[in-house]
Amino acid sequence: MVKHTMLETGRGSGDMRAEVIDGIAAWVVNCGLAGWSETDLLHGFCERCRDAGIDLCRAITIIDTLHPIYEGRAFRWRNDGVEESFIVEYESTSEGPAAEKWRTSPFQHLLDIGGDEIRVRLDLNEPLRFSYLDKLKEEGQTDYVAFIHRFAGDGIIGEMDCVYSYWTTLHPEGFAEAELAALRRLLPSLALALKCASLKRISETLVEVYLGKDAGRRVLNGHISRGVADRISAVLWFSDLRGYTRISDNAAPGEIIPLLNDYAEAVISAIHAAGGDVLKLIGDGVLAIFKGDDASDACRCALTAEANLRRELKEINERRAAANSPVTPVYLGLHIGEVFYGNIGSKDRLDFTVVGPAVNEVSRIASMCRSVDRDVVISAEFAARTPEPEKAGLVSVGRFALRGVGRAQDLFTLDPSVR
């Protein structure tokens, strides 16, 4: 590979070769269009800048996101032989130690003054106004430059309103003016490519959080036509909280959302850990499916999720009871049947979900928990497909006519003596 360097007029004067800079900019655009990840974009960019003669040692780019836990992500590159994670996901910077660190950062200073760029020479015997730069100076970094590339108007999504970045060098003379000029020329293209990659990640997060993992993937793959649905056989899970109406009527208003969150976290994490997909939250209720080529495997996964849930509920109820917060059991109905899985709704508002008689039946089966005084009620169809040794743990609770279902059926539960 040919290593492109500064013009012969000297390191600190003149411009870098225009065709080299244009080549890096074109590479960034092409990779952004090709859907490269933020990490690959940053690492490829830095290596090409070094080949072009920009004496980079460390780089970091930061962009906020839309995520229920993380405020944003930082992407890192360095070539000094020190190993560190390429990606850092950070939580809220509005409180705690993270808030103090951000408040004293060069980026917050730029936000306060409305600036776009700040350069700090680290090799001068002068006190540094930003505490984080002391660490970089101790590493031997000689120069630091930070940029903010802001988005305008409709380009802002939530807190994602800009790309932050900083760049350092170990060169004894710091960055040359030609190097800084090249970075100023190139970074808007990189920021735009990073924004594209982050928007893709945001879309994946949003559809998975609100639709479920499998449904979200299907939507992103183009399955968004109204009325288009697949006919599948699946294990159906419907659970809700026992006595939720009574609790919500008597509990303080500030206790309702924490209660729902605690129990939803237990239910959803148990389902996901066992390979299921949560399709819908209906107040205190959860509708989920377990799919698979082998129905017996899907039944086993659902029972594994139930066992995981009971362990988590024990911990949650102990913690909530110790805090004098309301506690409650979770009722669960399990069924298996054919359903239509796809887009239902109007042209302006679609829901990717399952519909069919089996969906109605599983909710009726779950409602029988109260009548038979059990936390889990299982259909005959599910029991018939349950493999050994799990099947040995099922016991009949009788034959019942379910409301809205045209036939009576045998129902089962889990034998308390083997749980």
Side-chain angles (χ1 to χ4, degrees):
M1 178 183 293
V2 177
K3 180 165 180 168
H4 301 285
T5 58
M6 297 293 175
L7 287 179
E8 294 178 358
T9 50
R11 179 178 183 274
S13 61
D15 294 328
M16 296 186 68
R17 293 164 61 174
E19 67 271 19
V20 176
I21 301 304
D22 290 343
I24 297 174
W27 176 87
V28 170
V29 171
N30 288 334
C31 292
L33 292 172
W36 281 37
S37 70
E38 298 95 327
T39 299
D40 290 339
L41 283 167
L42 177 62
H43 286 218
F45 176 82
C46 291
E47 295 299 336
R48 282 161 177 77
C49 284
R50 282 191 58 82
D51 288 343
I54 303 176
D55 197 351
L56 294 175
C57 178
R58 293 189 61 173
I60 189 167
T61 58
I62 302 171
I63 187 166
D64 286 343
T65 188
L66 286 179
H67 193 280
I69 298 175
Y70 302 111
E71 182 178 302
R73 295 157 62 90
F75 306 93
R76 303 192 291 196
W77 171 90
R78 61 193 302 166
N79 79 328
D80 56 2
V82 177
E83 293 187 3
E84 63 181 7
S85 59
F86 294 153
I87 303 174
V88 176
E89 293 178 312
Y90 55 90
E91 298 183 20
S92 175
T93 57
S94 60
E95 58 185 9
E100 177 61 20
K101 184 176 180 180
W102 183 259
R103 187 183 65 81
T104 59
S105 71
F107 295 124
Q108 183 61 58
H109 172 71
L110 287 176
L111 293 174
D112 291 340
I113 66 173
D116 299 320
E117 176 185 338
I118 184 172
R119 180 187 184 187
V120 181
R121 289 296 298 267
L122 305 177
D123 57 345
L124 304 179
N125 293 322
E126 297 177 359
L128 299 174
R129 59 184 300 186
F130 306 108
S131 57
Y132 177 70
L133 300 188
D134 291 328
K135 179 181 178 182
L136 296 177
K137 184 175 182 178
E138 291 172 1
E139 294 177 0
Q141 310 292 334
T142 60
D143 207 350
Y144 168 99
V145 59
F147 298 91
I148 296 181
H149 291 88
R150 292 174 170 83
F151 310 149
D154 293 340
I156 297 173
I157 299 179
E159 297 298 318
M160 193 180 82
D161 57 0
C162 66
V163 173
Y164 305 95
S165 67
Y166 80 67
W167 315 81
T168 70
T169 183
L170 290 171
H171 195 282
E173 299 177 11
F175 285 117
E177 288 304 320
E179 293 176 300
L180 294 175
L183 284 175
R184 295 185 188 106
R185 160 74 175 81
L186 291 168
L187 288 181
S189 297
L190 179 63
L192 185 57
L194 291 171
K195 180 183 180 182
C196 289
S198 293
L199 286 175
K200 179 177 182 294
R201 193 178 302 278
I202 285 174
S203 67
E204 292 171 347
T205 297
L206 290 180
V207 295
E208 287 188 5
V209 166
Y210 285 95
L211 297 180
K213 292 184 178 181
D214 183 69
R217 284 192 294 267
R218 289 172 180 248
V219 167
L220 287 178
N221 287 333
H223 297 271
I224 59 173
S225 298
R226 179 168 63 132
V228 175
D230 296 326
R231 186 168 185 155
I232 65 171
S233 178
V235 165
L236 302 171
W237 164 302
F238 187 86
S239 60
D240 61 6
L241 302 183
R242 177 181 180 179
Y244 171 71
T245 300
R246 173 185 54 79
I247 293 173
S248 61
D249 286 342
N250 296 307
E255 291 185 336
I256 301 303
I257 298 302
L259 179 142
L260 289 174
N261 284 341
D262 280 348
Y263 287 101
E265 176 67 26
V267 172
I268 294 170
S269 62
I271 293 169
H272 285 169
D277 286 296
V278 174
L279 298 183
K280 193 178 294 293
L281 305 181
I282 312 166
D284 62 316
V286 176
L287 174 65
I289 61 173
F290 293 82
K291 299 190 287 94
D293 295 333
D294 188 330
S296 295
D297 286 342
C299 290
R300 175 176 282 127
C301 289
L303 291 173
T304 298
E306 189 278 337
N308 293 340
L309 172 60
R310 298 305 158 189
R311 286 192 295 270
E312 294 188 35
L313 286 177
K314 184 175 184 298
E315 296 178 3
I316 287 174
N317 286 336
E318 288 175 355
R319 171 173 55 82
R320 291 183 60 84
N324 292 320
S325 298
V327 299
T328 181
V330 173
Y331 281 160
L332 170 63
L334 292 174
H335 186 34
I336 188 170
E338 285 196 341
V339 292
F340 288 101
Y341 182 42
N343 290 291
I344 310 297
S346 74
K347 63 181 180 180
D348 298 321
R349 178 63 173 88
L350 293 172
D351 191 11
F352 204 106
T353 187
V354 288
V355 295
V359 180
N360 297 328
E361 287 182 33
V362 72
S363 67
R364 302 293 185 239
I365 291 167
S367 69
M368 291 299 297
C369 288
R370 185 179 299 103
S371 300
V372 299
D373 194 25
R374 291 290 184 269
D375 291 340
V376 184
V377 175
I378 296 168
S379 71
E381 290 86 347
F382 186 102
R385 299 293 188 92
T386 300
E388 297 291 355
E390 289 84 358
K391 190 170 187 175
L394 304 185
V395 294
S396 174
V397 293
R399 187 172 181 84
F400 297 88
L402 303 177
R403 183 167 60 88
V405 179
R407 58 184 176 82
Q409 61 174 288
D410 294 320
L411 297 178
F412 298 80
T413 192
L414 299 174
D415 187 344
S417 65
V418 298
R419 296 183 69 184

